[in-house]
Amino acid sequence: MLFIGKELEIQTGSFEDGFITASVLLGAILGAAIIGPMSDKLGRKKLLLSAAIIFFVGALRSGIGFNYTLLVTSRVLLGIAVGAASALIPTYLAELSPADKRGGIGTLFQLMIMTGIFLAYVSNEWLSPSGWLGLDQNVGWHWMLGLAAVPAVLLFIGGLSLPESPRFLVKQGKMSEAQKVLSTMNPNAKLVEELYDIKLQANTPSGGFKELFGPMARPVLIMALGLAIFQQVMGCNTVLYYAPKIFISAGFSEHFALQSHIVIGLFNVIVTAIAVKIMDEIDRKKMLTYGAIGMGASLLTMSTAMLVLRAGNGNVGSWICVIALTLYIAFFSATWGPVMWVMIGEAFPLNIRGLGNSFGAVISWTVNFAVSQSFPMLLIAFTPDHAINAEGQGIAKLFIIYGVLCFVAIWF
């Protein structure tokens, strides 16, 4: 957005400013909503390959993006694939994983997301005017978005060799194929018992919205709603999306802001890798509680530093802001980032698990859209006298709200 806004003449804090980022999330809502029912009919593998094709087309169109309308429509298309993947992959992994490793393997999903984000940060810095390749600002951002077509191709090629879900194969009556997949994925499995369990699950009539909103599933539904909402309103994705803007507001240069993004991305990967190791050792509730405490304390520290920065503490306040923001992301990546998806994937009854996962993903992406769309506009609203040089004060006040919501999440 540091470069797109300049070329397309997007006013800072306008609806368009937020919507270029949030348009992906609008598509994600749609993708997450349709993927659950479709995956039960067509299978996980076919839809994963379809998502890869949509990723490819959406990325190429985004890279071309010579005007606002083309860019936004391309990113909505891209978002459909994002939402589909977010709802489909945790279910697919859960169906392939041995029960005692399900939490750790589910967290690998989050680890790969953080690795992808880190690689995006690195390529963005390289393609920026002050980066390694030093591209013109009106050229570099087209490459930043268009190069996402490369992992889309890799996803499609890799997806061709993936097995279909054993649960889907059993449901289609393909018992020998299901047995082959199970023996490949888990050589130590007791195949007869596992196939019997899967057959029982597959023969359970699939429930619909009546069952999802019925009294039996209501406690799980409330849990899924609460976790999906709180994961977003604590401000996690505003940091992932808008960190360079935050660093510039804290007094750093554009070049430093992009490089700091890389450090945050690398730290994310390391902390999420640790979470993979401990996911099946520590109960989920403790991880959510301690994570929210760390996130809330980090945000309040950052906000205080940015407000003190106004009083002239200069670099000290700026560096406190960077450290606090990095710790905030670390707490998120180790706890609320992966745990929310694992808990939703585990908790719904089997007959509505696909529908429940899709519902949780839809809620998550909807709130993500609302928070991301509103961030630039709220930032301007909280900035004194709408003065651009006082933007740090607006960020500080806004992140105090996110910090307080972290503590509300602990109560939940």
Side-chain angles (χ1 to χ4, degrees):
M1 278 310 302
L2 297 177
F3 312 115
I4 294 171
K6 293 173 185 175
E7 182 179 341
L8 301 186
E9 298 179 350
I10 304 296
Q11 185 180 349
T12 301
S14 64
F15 175 85
E16 289 82 5
D17 185 24
F19 195 61
I20 288 177
T21 297
S23 53
V24 164
L25 310 173
L26 199 61
I29 297 168
L30 178 61
I34 63 176
I35 199 69
M38 286 180 68
S39 68
D40 287 334
K41 292 178 181 177
L42 301 176
R44 318 310 189 211
K45 182 174 178 176
K46 285 181 183 176
L47 290 179
L48 194 63
L49 294 172
S50 301
I53 294 169
I54 298 171
F55 270 125
F56 180 78
V57 175
L60 280 188
R61 280 174 52 97
S62 297
I64 294 167
F66 51 79
N67 62 46
Y68 176 78
T69 303
L70 177 61
L71 181 57
V72 164
T73 53
S74 301
R75 286 177 60 75
V76 170
L77 180 66
L78 199 59
I80 292 173
V82 171
S86 73
L88 177 67
I89 293 174
T91 303
Y92 176 66
L93 291 176
E95 290 173 350
L96 282 177
S97 309
D100 61 332
K101 294 182 175 65
R102 197 161 290 150
I105 289 174
T107 311
L108 280 174
F109 173 53
Q110 184 73 12
L111 176 62
M112 293 301 102
I113 290 174
M114 291 303 172
T115 303
I117 289 173
F118 167 68
L119 293 174
Y121 292 165
V122 171
S123 67
N124 285 351
E125 202 281 329
W126 283 358
L127 295 163
S128 70
S130 56
W132 178 49
L133 295 174
L135 298 182
D136 182 84
Q137 66 176 19
N138 292 337
V139 175
W141 72 262
H142 291 280
W143 282 97
M144 291 177 190
L145 298 183
L147 280 174
V150 175
V153 171
L154 296 176
L155 176 62
F156 185 85
I157 294 170
L160 291 172
S161 64
L162 290 176
E164 183 51 87
S165 158
R167 185 174 182 273
F168 178 76
L169 291 171
V170 168
K171 205 166 186 178
Q172 298 296 307
K174 300 176 180 178
M175 299 299 291
S176 60
E177 287 184 41
Q179 185 172 344
K180 187 178 177 182
V181 171
L182 282 172
S183 61
T184 304
M185 290 292 105
N186 187 11
N188 298 321
K190 297 177 180 178
L191 293 180
V192 175
E193 288 88 338
E194 282 215 24
L195 277 173
Y196 178 74
D197 289 343
I198 291 171
K199 194 171 182 179
L200 277 179
Q201 296 168 15
N203 291 334
T204 303
S206 295
F209 285 104
K210 183 179 178 182
E211 288 77 16
L212 181 65
F213 294 103
M216 288 294 286
R218 193 165 295 146
V220 180
L221 189 69
I222 292 169
M223 181 207 74
L225 270 170
L227 292 181
I229 290 170
F230 277 113
Q231 189 203 48
Q232 298 301 326
V233 299
M234 292 188 288
C236 59
N237 283 310
T238 59
V239 176
L240 293 176
Y241 303 153
Y242 296 108
K245 182 189 284 280
I246 295 168
F247 288 140
I248 290 169
S249 299
F252 291 104
S253 68
E254 189 178 274
H255 184 55
F256 177 87
L258 290 170
Q259 288 187 325
S260 297
H261 223 182
I262 293 175
V263 175
I264 285 181
L266 181 60
F267 201 51
N268 267 344
V269 173
I270 294 168
V271 170
T272 309
I274 294 169
V276 172
K277 294 288 186 183
I278 65 173
M279 178 61 70
D280 292 313
E281 307 297 328
I282 302 174
D283 73 66
R284 320 287 195 231
K285 188 173 175 180
K286 281 181 183 174
M287 291 182 76
L288 292 175
T289 301
Y290 294 136
I293 291 171
M295 290 164 69
S298 299
L299 285 184
L300 295 180
T301 301
M302 188 196 86
S303 297
T304 303
M306 294 191 87
L307 290 170
V308 171
L309 181 64
R310 183 186 174 199
N313 275 13
N315 287 335
V316 174
S318 299
W319 281 107
I320 291 172
C321 171
V322 170
I323 293 167
L325 203 62
T326 305
L327 287 173
Y328 166 80
I329 285 293
F331 279 110
F332 171 77
S333 299
T335 59
W336 280 81
V339 171
M340 187 278 281
W341 293 107
V342 171
M343 283 188 72
I344 289 178
E346 289 176 332
F348 279 103
L350 286 169
N351 66 322
I352 54 169
R353 183 161 291 173
L355 183 62
N357 284 353
S358 286
F359 181 78
V362 167
I363 297 301
S364 178
W365 289 116
T366 302
V367 183
N368 191 342
F369 170 78
V371 172
S372 303
Q373 174 65 49
S374 63
F375 180 79
M377 294 183 283
L378 288 173
L379 183 55
I380 293 295
F382 279 105
T383 299
D385 301 322
H386 306 291
I388 298 301
N389 60 354
E391 201 175 59
Q393 296 170 51
I395 288 176
K397 294 171 184 175
L398 190 50
F399 274 83
I400 286 173
I401 296 172
Y402 296 148
V404 169
L405 288 170
C406 290
F407 292 101
V408 179
I410 297 168
W411 165 82
F412 177 78

